Amino acid sequence: MRPSLPLCVALLALGLSACGDEPQDDTGNPTPDDTSTDDTGPDDTAVPPVDEDMDGYTSDVDCDDNNYAVYPGAPEECDGLDNDCDNVADEDFDLDADGVATCFGDCDDADSSIHAGATETPYDGIDQDCDGADLVDVDGDGFKAVEAGGNDCDDNDPDLNPRDTPGVYPGAEEVCDGLDNDCNGWTDDIPPFYYADTDIDGYGDPDVRGSSCDFPKGPPEGWTGNDLDCNDADPLTYPGADEIWYDGVDEDCAGGSDFDADLDGYDSIDYGGDDCGDADDTMYPGAIEYCDGLDNDCDDVIDPDSSADVTEWYLDSDSDGYGDETVSTVTCYAPSGYVSNDDDCDDADPLILRCCSELASVSTPTNLVASGSTYGQWMSDPMETLGEGIYWEMDSYTGSTLVEYASLEDLISRTVSARITLPSSYDGTGAVVYDGYLYYNLGGSNTLVQYDIATEETVATLSLTGAGYRNTYHYQWGGYSDIDFSIDEEGLWVLYATADNEGRMVISSIDPDSFSVVETWETDSTRKTGIGNAFMACGIMYAVNSYSSSPTTINYAYDTSDSTSSTVSLTWYNSYSYNSMVTYNPEEELIYSWDSTHRMIYTPTWE
């Protein structure tokens, strides 16, 4: 009994059977199924069609039974085959009937004039032959034609020279052939060049030029190697000649009127013109008046209040560098006791620096340098008591070393100017420098320390009764960050939490002179352990939602001026996802942070 057709196909695929063949004897010769001698017996039964490629279609209907992707109704593919057995190959991929399918070089199947092998039309911006570019270099010399936005001055032939020299295109070798081979606008310009020197003063006429093609044996009499003469008919006129002003002759070839020595377009008042300062090109009638000590516009008034760069100056009676917006004057130069800003809200108190307002936004941070521990603190003194531009660092959240840098550049380059060992260890990353003193949390306690940096002595301590310490009420990240000093326009503050306030933020203002608590506010914030960081600005405490998420938000504010809190939503970026310190400098109006070894600065904007 013969195998069924599906089994037969499977056996064939495995090379195990030749189903449908005549039975064979032991020698491999066919044996008849019966003894009949006619041609109608079982031996002569027709072999049934098979499905060699197993695509579900037998050879009697499959136009290619050796390819499973080819059978009646198969999806047509762009492969050069008649996949669907309709006697047409790739018909779905030659919609423009140009004889070229998309997979065989037709880059625009909606236009029969565009396909591989099509004739390219130069300079039309269309890639007719689908080679990836329009024909913009007809002569094939590697340079685009001028018509195509290039600089080949002759794109019809790469070599138009009868002597078989390089062709005509930018940079081609110039030869004496009457052509502009290198497309620079000159014919036969092979150096050296020579210029007519009619007045024999050694300076040539730029408009009359010859080359080595014209003078192969060198320049004849009356020619020179430069083109600097502005008057080749006068031997006393050439570059560098002594200028005799106001004689009507441009002896030195500098150009301009001979009665306009400063070349500002106005002739000297001494020679019939109206330029009151013919030696200064900022002085002439109608010139813009500037605060420069000159009568710029020749009206006999020097530096009037109407000068273009005049400044409004504000009275600074407390000499803190910030002016009173209610008292000002407009002049070129600052009167004594005046400054250029009006930011002082109390011009009688030098400790109140600028007018305060609410925070409107905070910029993305700028990284200054990365160095040291993941967590730490850096600071500058807004009062600049010990000098301008000094910065300090305290690496890590506990230790006893204060590092000083003479400038921001030194901090960035890690050039240390002083390394001070404190008389006691510190806890946390909330230290600040204010008016020459370092304020920090004494290690292992809720005691505050006032340390004189100049004398390197502790001058006072203050016990902050009830304040948590050593990770009792820390910021989210920990690090003994229970007690956090802050500075703003209104002075010195300390932020902490107490059991009495159920671990929520408490704000105390500090009098630096007596080193005592002036006033305290118990806020309704979330517990301090749920806050990323906090800082004071304009008497308002701002709390950052997370020390690690980025972006996160400043989501809570408490205004000490009226003891009110509010929910805010100001975007805040922790660029390196471990921000262990945030503090504000009211002098620079910048926010500092220490974010995973990085010293960062943020720029705030105000309502």
Side-chain angles (χ1 to χ4, degrees), residues 96 98 106 108-115 126:
D96 56 9
D98 57 8
D106 193 339
D108 186 346
D109 204 31
D111 189 330
S112 62
S113 68
I114 299 176
H115 55 80
I126 300 173

Side-chain angles (χ1 to χ4, degrees), residues 105-164:
D106 193 339
C107 56
D108 186 346
D109 204 31
D111 189 330
S112 62
S113 68
I114 299 176
H115 55 80
T119 301
E120 186 69 44
T121 302
Y123 321 139
D124 65 353
I126 300 173
D127 178 19
Q128 281 93 357
D129 60 2
C130 294
D131 65 351
D134 179 34
L135 185 58
V136 295
D137 178 17
V138 173
D139 58 14
D141 58 10
F143 292 87
K144 286 184 179 181
V146 172
E147 298 92 329
N151 54 1
D152 191 340
C153 56
D154 189 338
D155 197 41
N156 293 316
D157 195 330
D159 184 357
L160 302 180
N161 300 298
R163 291 157 52 187
D164 196 25

Side-chain angles (χ1 to χ4, degrees), residues 370-391:
S371 178
S373 302
T374 300
Y375 16 71
Q377 50 211 313
W378 69 289
M379 62 215 77
S380 63
D381 185 352
M383 305 300 291
E384 297 187 328
T385 304
L386 302 178
E388 294 183 6
I390 302 175
Y391 291 82

Side-chain angles (χ1 to χ4, degrees), residues 44-117:
D44 301 312
T45 303
V47 177
V50 296
D51 182 7
E52 294 285 354
D53 55 13
M54 302 185 72
D55 58 6
Y57 291 84
T58 55
S59 58
D60 56 334
V61 293
D62 193 334
C63 57
D64 186 350
D65 202 31
N66 292 313
N67 190 332
Y68 68 90
V70 177
Y71 54 84
E76 193 67 41
E77 300 179 15
C78 195
D79 55 6
L81 301 176
D82 177 18
N83 302 88
D84 57 3
C85 295
D86 65 351
N87 296 320
V88 181
D90 300 337
E91 64 268 25
D92 295 338
F93 302 93
D94 184 17
L95 300 180
D96 56 9
D98 57 8
V100 181
T102 56
C103 57
F104 291 104
D106 193 339
C107 56
D108 186 346
D109 204 31
D111 189 330
S112 62
S113 68
I114 299 176
H115 55 80

Side-chain angles (χ1 to χ4, degrees), residues 147-329:
E147 298 92 329
N151 54 1
D152 191 340
C153 56
D154 189 338
D155 197 41
N156 293 316
D157 195 330
D159 184 357
L160 302 180
N161 300 298
R163 291 157 52 187
D164 196 25
T165 57
V168 177
Y169 51 82
E173 180 185 354
E174 190 73 33
V175 295
C176 299
D177 59 358
L179 298 175
D180 179 15
N181 304 92
D182 57 6
C183 293
N184 71 347
W186 290 85
T187 299
D188 294 346
D189 57 327
I190 300 177
F193 303 115
Y194 308 106
Y195 302 86
D197 182 14
T198 306
D199 56 9
I200 316 298
D201 59 5
Y203 293 86
D205 184 342
D207 296 324
V208 184
R209 188 178 88 164
S211 72
S212 62
C213 291
D214 302 301
F215 307 115
K217 295 182 179 181
E221 181 71 19
W223 290 79
T224 187
N226 68 75
D227 62 350
L228 303 176
D229 205 337
C230 61
N231 184 354
D232 200 36
D234 185 350
L236 298 180
T237 301
Y238 54 85
D242 292 334
E243 181 65 42
I244 303 172
W245 288 104
Y246 317 124
D247 65 353
V249 179
D250 181 18
E251 285 89 357
D252 62 0
C253 294
S257 168
D258 189 53
F259 304 101
D260 179 16
D262 57 9
L263 304 177
D264 60 6
Y266 292 84
D267 289 344
S268 170
I269 197 170
D270 297 326
Y271 290 88
D274 48 9
D275 191 339
C276 61
D278 200 38
D280 188 325
D281 63 3
T282 68
M283 299 176 64
Y284 54 83
I288 297 174
E289 192 71 48
Y290 292 99
C291 297
D292 56 4
L294 302 174
D295 179 15
N296 303 94
D297 58 4
C298 296
D299 66 351
D300 297 326
V301 179
I302 296 174
D303 298 343
D305 292 346
S306 59
S307 296
D309 53 350
V310 72
T311 301
E312 185 172 7
W313 307 95
Y314 300 89
L315 180 64
D316 178 19
S317 13
D318 58 8
S319 299
D320 60 2
Y322 293 86
D324 183 345
E325 66 177 348
T326 65
V327 183
S328 67
T329 185

